[in-house]
Amino acid sequence: MKTLVLILAGGTGEELSVLTRHRAKTAVPFGGRYRVIDFCLSNCVHSGLHEIAVLAQYSPKSLIDHIGMGKPWDLDRKTGGGYILQPTHNGEAATWYLGTADALFQNIDLIKNSKADTILVLSGDQIYVMDYRPLLGYHLEKGRAVTLAIKEVQASQRSRFGMVRRSRDGRITAFREKPAASTFRFASLGIYVFRRDFLIDALGPGKTNIVFDVVMPLLKCGDVAGYAFEGYWEDIGSIQSYYRSSLQLLRNRLLITDPDWPIFTKGNELPPARCADGSRVSDSIVADGCVVKGEVTGSILFPGVTVEKDAVVRDSIVFSYSRIGRGARVTRAILDKFVEIGGAATVGGGGRGRAAAPGARGAKRPQDETGGVAVLGRGARVSRGAGVRGGTLVEPHSRIGSRR
Amino acid sequence: MTLKRTVVFILAGGVGKRLSLLTRYRAKPAVSFGGKYRIIDFTLTNCIRSGIDEVYILTQYISRSLVRHIGIGKPWDMDRMTGGLHVLHPHLGYQAADWYRGTADAIFQNIPVLRKLDCENVLILSGDHVYLMDYREFIEFHEGSGKPASVGVVGVPKGMTSEFGIATVDRAGAITKFEEKPKESSGTLASMGIYLFNKEYLISLLEELEAKHGDLDFGKHVIPRLVSRKMISAFRFPGYWLDIGTLKSYYRASLELLAERPRLKLYRWSSPVLTAPDDSPPFVVTKEANISNSLVCNGCFVRGEVRSSILSPGVKIERGARVENSILFHDCTIGAGAEVYNAIVDKGCVVGARAKVGLGDAGVANELQPAYLDFGVTLIGKRTIIPAGVRIGTNCLVSGTIDDGIIPKRNLPDGGYFVAGEMRP
């Protein structure tokens, strides 16, 4: 069996709000030094899969910059290897990728020209560690046109997923997209294995969505198998789920620290992290190049973050090169790259300090959207002594509390 | 001013005996420094930042780890179609060949390589130095000096002249006197051991001198000859420069990185020191951990207390353990409740639970190497396993495991050693 991997990485990630203004959802930083897509790329190479196309479309620069020729994953190869495919003009009427199935169809030449007999389609925006070999083995054994990876989820979570019913012999017999309530126990994980010749036939003009236009029509004839996956799997679908699954890493750290399954990523060249005299760092994940002089607890610091003296960072996620000024307090917040928090400023938490006025430039406060987490976009600046309440979304490069 | 093309030769073959067990398995330029670096990273980073893209590294002594670290030079952008980075090991050839018998002899033996180079200048560097320098300033000085040779010098305190080659210069920068390790000297400019030559001049000079000295050495033979001919100038480098000569200077320079404002500027985002990348995750600290005044690398896992120490990638500090004033190399594990003070712990060591290392009377020098190990530091060699519960004093030398019969399950007094016969440095 030879497998070609196609990773869907074109989504706009609107649900991640200010974090995806300048980057693809799959390029969102995660876990102190990674990007979300590192997880499925690492899964691929650990599973012995080395022919990988990443289908990008939205803000691809961040993704291209990160993946490059695929060197960190040993995907810079003479044959196979990794490459990024964006919508192109092919001489006929050209469009953007209109949906998941359309993205595959627009690259059908790649599938036709490949020597692979099996096509593995993944989503680039999920956090999980999975050996694809048992899944591919299961697909081969069942001999169906399509095999879906599925996972049992609790009743309260089912409205977030495409839920499926699995028969006793392992076939998928029904599919409901985000049902209000469902008796189906398994969620589809957006991981599909296709028989190549079937996929080539099934794709075509007007077929936009993999689930509705490719998988659903097969349910009746019983040609869809379901492979139950039991490990950790999380879809970064909202600020809330991003925040939650990030901080879960503090308990579930094997996800990134397993020596047998390292997550590969683009390297950085920063010096070791420096915990200064009088600093207090506990229950946290801290990357190279950080300089901590204050207190950091329950948090994740990406490379090159500075936490000045008497500053407190609690239950927060801080992306690369952000700086938290002297005496500032950052609680339950996500700071994107290059954010500057002025001295004695207050960000997130119960809303101490002066809050950004609801009408202030660049700030809005949709409490429900973020579950009370303050999110500051790339390069945002909070002036000395100013405040940003929990739940506030701050657009990239805006200034909060600047002097009149 | 456009500078003429300069090619670099890095001398990386020295034995580094005074680093004791640290250079038992590796060349001195490959010794770990500052947690994630190797000593040679500083020189290689300087090269690429100075626009030099053709570098030859002369190795000789246990070069495996060095060659592996350097690879094809990718981390320094030296993997190139033309130029790039190359390792020159002593080799047998059609004509007589030999080991490199001195620093200048190493260059002499590579004259065939030198001849073919398309360059005006040859910059000769050492792989054992820790400093950040833009060589373009040196090259510019050299080209303006009107002499065929230049040496980099740094100011040193009067009391330290006996450790260096000391130059006296006239107003134009030409060297008028050069003394090798003088007890007392009126000069305070120490040679950094980095030399810039006009290529053709270097070749003819080496050919001339090699006939007289088989163990041709830059400090001993070449520089004095240039001084007597008034053919060499001194370029004064104003920055921080350190020759990692002894275990003591290594330990001091390492812990100096923890100062509020270290003289070595590692934390300039625009010009980081480049090294081979590693895939470790960011470091993880648990609730019970307490870290202060320390450098911690990716891949570390800290549950205990760490003060004034350097943790290289992959170090594990278990619950209740305490590490102070110590340098821990890659992948060391300090067991639960163990204590490590004033120690240099080489790669992959395990300190067993509740063991205590490094406390004692610093006045008792090491029995085996009193000259190197008399300053209150214990050195633990690569992949040593220290049994649970034992006490190891200060100024101790330990290398081995219980299984290989080297380390008995008993305490070691100050200045003692557990080292296999064939390993005794």
Side-chain angles (χ1 to χ4, degrees):
Chain A
M1 183 166 73
K2 203 170 171 322
T3 306
L4 166 69
V5 183
L6 298 168
I7 299 178
L8 300 168
T12 56
E14 265 166 11
E15 57 283 14
L16 288 186
S17 177
V18 297
L19 299 181
T20 45
R21 291 282 188 271
H22 295 294
R23 60 168 82 88
K25 188 174 165 193
T26 45
V28 169
F30 188 85
R33 83 172 276 198
Y34 308 100
R35 304 281 184 147
V36 174
I37 200 167
D38 292 341
F39 288 85
C40 72
L41 284 175
S42 300
N43 288 342
C44 284
V45 295
H46 287 310
S47 302
L49 305 173
H50 294 110
E51 193 180 353
I52 300 169
V54 177
L55 308 185
Q57 167 159 281
Y58 173 80
S59 284
K61 193 215 151 246
S62 53
L63 204 55
I64 292 167
D65 187 32
H66 182 67
I67 296 178
M69 316 188 299
K71 174 102 189 105
W73 301 271
D74 271 344
L75 288 171
D76 52 333
R77 302 189 159 222
K78 271 204 191 297
T79 54
Y83 32 92
I84 296 174
L85 298 172
Q86 295 172 60
T88 55
H89 206 288
N90 58 3
E92 295 161 38
T95 63
W96 297 104
Y97 295 152
L98 300 174
T100 47
D102 186 56
L104 301 183
F105 179 58
Q106 290 201 32
N107 290 291
I108 199 158
D109 285 349
L110 173 78
I111 300 169
K112 282 180 177 167
N113 294 339
S114 165
K115 293 195 180 85
D117 47 26
T118 308
I119 313 295
L120 175 62
V121 178
L122 305 172
S123 299
D125 50 8
Q126 300 169 346
I127 304 292
Y128 65 116
V129 160
M130 182 175 184
D131 188 339
Y132 298 124
R133 286 169 295 196
L135 164 67
L136 295 167
Y138 185 87
H139 171 74
L140 207 62
E141 179 197 321
K142 293 293 171 186
R144 310 280 175 204
V146 190
T147 301
L148 310 185
I150 56 177
K151 179 177 165 62
E152 199 167 341
V153 295
Q154 288 176 346
S156 62
Q157 295 291 314
R158 290 176 189 165
S159 61
R160 289 170 54 206
F161 300 107
M163 299 302 300
V164 299
R165 183 171 65 212
R166 187 166 83 148
S167 70
R168 241 176 244 148
D169 62 349
R171 279 179 304 124
I172 301 294
T173 54
F175 193 109
R176 298 240 167 81
E177 186 66 13
K178 298 185 180 158
S182 177
T183 54
F184 299 170
R185 286 159 41 223
F186 288 99
S188 166
L189 303 184
I191 299 169
Y192 313 94
V193 189
F194 294 100
R195 216 160 57 211
R196 172 175 167 271
D197 49 355
F198 162 76
L199 184 62
I200 291 169
D201 289 344
L203 295 173
K207 305 277 183 70
T208 51
N209 185 287
I210 291 180
V211 172
F212 300 120
D213 300 321
V214 179
V215 176
M216 294 279 231
L218 287 177
L219 293 178
K220 267 198 203 119
C221 56
D223 214 7
V224 182
Y227 167 82
F229 174 64
E230 284 171 359
Y232 178 89
W233 176 94
E234 188 69 58
D235 173 45
I236 301 296
S238 67
I239 292 280
Q240 278 190 61
S241 72
Y242 174 81
Y243 178 78
R244 193 184 50 237
S245 51
S246 292
L247 292 192
Q248 266 172 10
L249 269 183
L250 296 173
R251 310 283 153 266
N252 184 24
R253 52 184 172 247
L254 195 65
L255 198 64
I256 55 170
T257 59
D258 186 352
D260 296 330
W261 202 275
I263 307 303
F264 298 128
T265 189
K266 187 181 165 186
N268 69 52
E269 287 144 355
L270 298 184
R274 184 174 147 75
C275 302
D277 209 4
S279 67
R280 207 174 142 61
V281 182
S282 75
D283 193 22
S284 294
I285 292 174
V286 181
D288 273 354
C290 288
V291 177
V292 181
K293 298 177 183 166
E295 186 181 328
V296 176
T297 50
S299 297
I300 297 178
L301 307 188
F302 283 73
V305 169
T306 304
V307 178
E308 291 291 356
K309 228 172 225 169
D310 304 320
V312 180
V313 178
R314 198 179 288 267
D315 304 327
S316 295
I317 301 154
V318 185
F319 292 0
S320 304
Y321 302 108
S322 285
R323 172 180 286 273
I324 290 125
R326 199 166 180 151
R329 298 183 71 86
V330 174
T331 315
R332 281 175 58 73
I334 302 170
L335 313 188
D336 204 319
K337 287 166 94 165
F338 300 106
V339 168
E340 296 268 345
I341 307 295
T346 309
V347 174
R352 282 177 296 269
R354 279 185 294 134
R361 199 155 57 90
K364 60 174 179 169
R365 198 160 177 262
Q367 183 82 31
D368 304 340
E369 213 174 301
T370 72
V373 176
V375 190
L376 280 67
R378 182 187 164 108
R381 304 180 76 170
V382 177
S383 299
R384 157 171 284 279
V388 175
R389 279 210 193 109
T392 309
L393 292 171
V394 176
E395 288 296 321
H397 305 293
S398 43
R399 279 170 159 267
I400 300 294
S402 51
R403 289 193 200 111
R404 281 161 216 145
Chain B
M1 176 176 174
T2 318
L3 298 174
K4 291 177 183 137
R5 197 169 133 73
T6 302
V7 170
V8 162
F9 283 73
I10 299 177
L11 301 167
V15 178
K17 221 177 177 178
R18 292 181 298 164
L19 287 185
S20 183
L21 291 176
L22 294 184
T23 43
R24 182 64 188 77
Y25 295 109
R26 56 173 87 83
K28 192 153 104 178
V31 169
S32 161
F33 187 81
K36 69 184 286 189
Y37 308 105
R38 308 254 188 170
I39 293 172
I40 200 169
D41 292 342
F42 295 90
T43 299
L44 288 173
T45 300
N46 290 342
C47 286
I48 197 72
R49 294 249 194 281
S50 307
I52 287 162
D53 57 11
E54 188 161 359
V55 173
Y56 293 84
I57 300 180
L58 279 65
T59 62
Q60 170 154 290
Y61 176 77
I62 315 185
S63 55
R64 188 195 58 85
S65 66
L66 180 63
V67 169
R68 192 174 157 168
H69 177 68
I70 295 167
I72 55 168
K74 173 113 187 86
W76 303 274
D77 268 344
M78 292 272 186
D79 53 331
R80 300 186 173 224
M81 293 289 273
T82 53
L85 182 151
H86 308 272
V87 174
L88 297 173
H89 200 75
H91 58 272
L92 287 172
Y94 191 66
Q95 291 176 310
D98 210 336
W99 295 105
Y100 299 149
R101 286 163 299 179
T103 51
D105 179 58
I107 304 289
F108 171 82
Q109 291 201 36
N110 286 293
I111 281 179
V113 177
L114 211 49
R115 278 193 208 284
K116 273 189 228 155
L117 293 178
D118 172 26
C119 69
E120 200 79 19
N121 299 321
V122 177
L123 175 59
I124 295 168
L125 304 171
S126 161
D128 318 339
H129 298 164
V130 173
Y131 63 125
L132 296 171
M133 177 175 179
D134 188 336
Y135 299 130
R136 281 173 296 201
E137 292 163 18
F138 187 21
I139 298 168
E140 201 172 320
F141 167 87
H142 172 74
E143 289 180 359
S145 73
K147 309 264 184 204
S150 301
V151 58
V153 296
V154 285
V156 292
K158 276 232 161 183
M160 286 178 63
T161 54
S162 64
E163 293 173 35
F164 301 99
I166 300 294
T168 309
V169 300
D170 67 14
R171 234 180 256 159
I175 299 181
T176 53
K177 194 164 105 183
F178 187 83
E179 306 156 279
E180 187 69 9
K181 301 186 179 165
K183 283 253 161 58
E184 273 179 28
S185 171
S186 56
T188 52
L189 293 177
S191 163
M192 299 163 72
I194 68 173
Y195 314 102
L196 195 49
F197 287 96
N198 171 286
K199 185 184 107 175
E200 296 307 328
Y201 184 85
L202 176 65
I203 292 172
S204 58
L205 181 70
L206 290 178
E207 284 177 339
E208 177 198 331
L209 292 177
E210 180 78 12
K212 291 181 203 147
H213 311 278
D215 59 344
L216 203 59
D217 185 273
F218 280 106
K220 248 188 274 171
H221 310 116
V222 179
I223 304 306
R225 173 55 60 97
L226 286 163
V227 171
S228 70
R229 287 185 189 165
K230 298 197 174 18
M231 285 297 195
I232 184 166
S233 312
F235 170 73
R236 182 163 184 176
F237 173 59
Y240 174 74
W241 171 87
L242 183 84
D243 175 14
I244 300 285
T246 61
L247 205 55
K248 189 170 172 178
S249 69
Y250 174 81
Y251 181 74
R252 292 266 162 89
S254 297
L255 290 197
E256 207 213 278
L257 294 174
L258 304 175
E260 176 87 32
R261 283 178 214 289
R263 286 182 289 170
L264 186 68
K265 305 293 178 207
L266 289 181
Y267 288 78
R268 289 211 175 123
W269 295 159
S270 54
S271 52
V273 177
L274 306 173
T275 186
D278 89 311
D279 294 320
S280 322
F283 83 82
V284 177
V285 288
T286 65
K287 279 192 176 128
E288 58 271 51
N290 191 353
I291 306 174
S292 72
N293 195 30
S294 296
L295 299 187
V296 186
C297 289
N298 277 347
C300 288
F301 180 55
V302 181
R303 298 176 111 168
E305 195 176 335
V306 179
R307 301 182 65 81
S308 305
S309 295
I310 297 176
L311 310 189
S312 304
V315 167
K316 265 205 187 85
I317 312 288
E318 293 292 0
R319 197 170 290 175
R322 195 181 155 90
V323 175
E324 221 174 292
N325 296 320
S326 295
I327 303 160
L328 274 51
F329 285 17
H330 287 65
D331 304 320
C332 287
T333 299
I334 310 300
E339 297 176 26
V340 176
Y341 303 92
N342 313 318
I344 302 171
V345 186
D346 205 333
K347 196 171 173 174
C349 290
V350 177
V351 175
R354 301 176 319 284
K356 283 189 175 39
V357 175
L359 282 185
D361 178 7
V364 185
N366 186 263
E367 228 177 297
L368 204 58
Q369 299 192 315
Y372 308 151
L373 208 53
D374 61 346
F375 57 104
V377 163
T378 281
L379 175 58
I380 301 181
K382 197 169 166 181
R383 303 201 197 289
T384 292
I385 298 175
I386 293 186
V390 304
R391 296 177 74 99
I392 308 279
T394 189
N395 286 336
C396 289
L397 213 47
V398 181
S399 182
T401 62
I402 289 196
D403 292 341
D404 62 22
I406 307 301
I407 299 200
K409 203 172 156 55
R410 65 173 161 83
N411 298 341
L412 183 64
D414 298 340
Y417 62 89
F418 291 143
V419 180
E422 112 288 337
M423 286 239 340
R424 285 179 196 173

